[in-house]
Amino acid sequence: MYSIQTIVKKLHFGTNIFLGVSFKMFSDEAKFIKTEKVLVVSKLSKYEHEKIRHKNLSEQELEALIRNRGTDYEKLIHHHELHNRFKENVVSTLRNMGCEVEVVNRLNYTEDKVEKADVIVPTGGDGTFLLAASKVKDNKKPVIGFNSDPNRSEGYLCLPKKYSTDIRGAIEKLQMGKFDWLMRSRIRTTLMVSEEENLTPIYLHGIDAEDSIPECSCSISGVKILPVLALNEVFMGEKLAAKVSHLQMRLNGSTQMTNLKCSGICVSTGTGSTSWHLSINRLPAQSVAELLRLIDIDATEGKDSLATILSEIYNKNLIFPPDDKRMGYTIRELISAGVWPQPKGIKPRGFATKVEVKSNCFDASLVIDGGVSFNFNDGAIALLEVFPEDALRTVVLKD
């Protein structure tokens, strides 16, 4: 019989091995990044969003509207100016290093501009990085992000926070090849619908950028590969969170469909495993402590307690490598009572190389990276797969 201390040591050792190897699977291709033409993708600040939403208001009227709402106007302006100063610093640094720079944002970022650039540089946080990645359709064009507000944002997809104050140093490393390639897997979604209008994209950021994502037209019998790849995740379920989602799921080409009642299905990449996937599946120290008490261990939930240590180990092991060819699926709040699921036995969380989901929902959506949605109602079928040619080319800088 192992002691609790022995179990913890073994678990911790296994976690260290996992984390140690997860970022070593890089391409052996020659490391060279051309930086003659740089496309900087800047985030829209919250203040800019407000200006666009209320474009008929004067500056004074907009300020009054925001203040009456109870929003801290000074804070809004502060973070707007903070981001703009950072963006200008990135642009001026690149130009001083001899780069030709064009700056775009959500409203005028197009695939044509991506095609003309040598490298895409999102400037903002993870949301801006996801936006920048959405227009890159192959695994050739590198995407390298700077976190414009490292004190408020983690920016997992961006370069480490120290490079937010050393932009030149980061660019020099890229030019000298002092980095490793990281090919982040992305999910390709094929949607089969009975009505072509169900393939019209719906934007979830409050601003519809014209021509941002082309509308899909059915190619063969209502079957279409969606024109945006998922870097983080694909979610399928009822739009109203309180409604039960009726879905059928099939994994890895199985001939058997499983009927489900749940709160939706989230299918994640390794990149997305640090995001929504982790939040859905995270095990809090409180739950671990309650389990330990069931086996007569007097557990607490303090910082260095056994419950906290086990919780941290469990949660770290939810994360898988960004270049993993598998997808991690999660059935949110799976109803496991009576006849559900049909048939029994499906795991609420696992890995798959192919995921097929059929909708029996009333008013559902399929959402890619939390930014663009497609109707996913009764009869619609989504096939989710990962292909090497769809990977996103990013970098890990060497210290």
Side-chain angles (χ1 to χ4, degrees), residues 109 111 129-137 186 213 227-229:
Y109 181 40
E111 290 182 25
F129 193 100
L130 290 170
L131 168 66
S134 70
K135 304 293 184 190
V136 181
K137 302 302 183 182
R186 295 192 285 183
I213 297 177
V228 57
L229 299 164

Side-chain angles (χ1 to χ4, degrees), residues 113-131:
K113 293 182 178 181
V114 170
E115 185 65 28
K116 296 173 184 176
D118 297 319
V119 59
I120 313 301
V121 178
T123 303
D126 285 345
T128 309
F129 193 100
L130 290 170
L131 168 66

Side-chain angles (χ1 to χ4, degrees), residues 369-387:
D369 284 344
V372 60
S373 170
F374 298 85
N375 286 335
F376 191 60
N377 296 321
D378 192 31
I381 300 172
L383 177 62
L384 280 58
E385 301 170 284
V386 171
F387 295 94

Side-chain angles (χ1 to χ4, degrees), residues 17-75:
I17 289 176
F18 174 81
L19 293 177
V21 301
S22 63
F23 293 104
K24 291 182 180 179
M25 300 170 65
F26 300 116
S27 170
D28 291 329
E29 298 175 56
K31 289 177 291 186
F32 172 74
I33 293 182
K34 188 178 179 183
T35 57
E36 290 180 11
K37 296 182 179 180
V38 180
L39 184 62
V40 172
V41 182
S42 174
K43 80 170 185 180
L44 281 178
S45 69
K46 189 174 179 180
Y47 175 69
E48 288 172 310
H49 273 265
E50 295 285 2
K51 287 187 69 175
I52 294 167
R53 288 177 59 201
H54 305 286
K55 55 187 176 184
N56 295 326
L57 298 182
S58 67
E59 293 283 348
Q60 294 76 16
E61 290 171 331
L62 179 61
E63 179 181 348
L65 175 69
I66 293 171
R67 289 188 185 279
N68 289 337
R69 188 192 298 159
T71 300
D72 188 333
Y73 183 77
E74 283 72 22
K75 185 177 180 180

Side-chain angles (χ1 to χ4, degrees), residues 252-355:
N252 299 324
S254 169
T255 57
Q256 185 180 62
M257 277 280 198
T258 301
N259 292 283
L260 308 168
K261 282 187 176 182
C262 59
S263 296
I265 296 173
C266 181
V267 183
S268 170
T269 64
T271 294
S273 68
T274 64
S275 185
W276 198 2
H277 169 88
L278 180 60
S279 297
I280 293 172
N281 294 295
R282 183 186 296 276
L283 189 62
Q286 177 186 355
S287 297
V288 178
E290 290 172 358
L291 288 170
L292 291 173
R293 292 182 198 119
L294 290 176
I295 56 174
D296 295 326
I297 295 176
D298 186 17
T300 65
E301 300 165 29
K303 181 179 179 182
D304 298 319
S305 68
L306 176 59
T308 298
I309 293 171
L310 288 174
S311 172
E312 290 176 352
I313 292 171
Y314 177 90
N315 294 333
K316 284 180 180 178
N317 277 281
L318 292 170
I319 300 170
F320 57 104
D323 51 1
D324 200 316
K325 302 303 184 291
R326 302 171 301 168
M327 296 171 283
Y329 75 86
T330 303
I331 306 170
R332 294 176 67 208
E333 299 165 340
L334 174 64
I335 294 177
S336 299
V339 298
W340 299 98
Q342 302 173 345
K344 299 286 187 179
I346 193 168
K347 294 182 178 180
R349 175 172 62 84
F351 291 100
T353 55
K354 183 182 293 186
V355 177

